[in-house]
Amino acid sequence: MIEHQLYIQTRFRSEVLERLLRVVRHRGFRVCKMNMNQTSNGDNINIHLTVSSERPVNLLSSQLTKLADVNSVEILNQTSQQIRA
């Protein structure tokens, strides 16, 4: 499995996290870590998301940018992880 780290900036809406996680799941990625912080003005949230999959992370990134409340998606890095069954 390959781990990918994403930095996502979104507008603060109650449903944005649900939509984001639904896209992650539907695109065949598994959430490994997630850290979310609200900005000082309270209008936006910053999400650091680590996901894993054999699929190219660009498939996920392009779908996340299409979500209405997402301002930006940045791919930070990717690392190979050996996962035992």
Side-chain angles (χ1 to χ4, degrees):
M1 289 283 207
I2 300 173
E3 281 192 357
H4 308 278
Q5 292 183 3
L6 302 169
Y7 177 67
I8 305 162
Q9 294 178 315
T10 70
R11 282 185 271 162
F12 183 70
R13 301 281 185 266
S14 58
E15 67 277 1
V16 73
L17 192 55
E18 287 180 48
R19 288 183 185 155
L20 187 130
L21 292 174
R22 188 175 335 127
V23 170
V24 169
R25 182 173 50 90
H26 281 279
R27 293 293 165 209
F29 289 80
R30 184 179 65 133
V31 174
C32 300
K33 292 183 204 174
M34 184 171 63
N35 185 17
M36 183 179 85
N37 297 312
Q38 194 169 1
T39 58
S40 58
N41 65 7
D43 294 339
N44 297 304
I45 54 176
N46 299 320
I47 302 168
H48 285 92
L49 184 65
T50 302
V51 296
S52 66
S53 180
E54 292 296 329
R55 304 184 79 189
V57 72
N58 295 341
L59 294 175
L60 177 60
S61 177
S62 65
Q63 292 301 310
L64 291 174
T65 57
K66 293 178 184 179
L67 293 175
D69 294 316
V70 172
N71 298 330
S72 68
V73 176
E74 182 182 348
I75 301 169
L76 299 177
N77 67 12
Q78 57 187 13
T79 57
S80 293
Q81 293 288 333
Q82 197 171 32
I83 298 177
R84 295 183 203 181

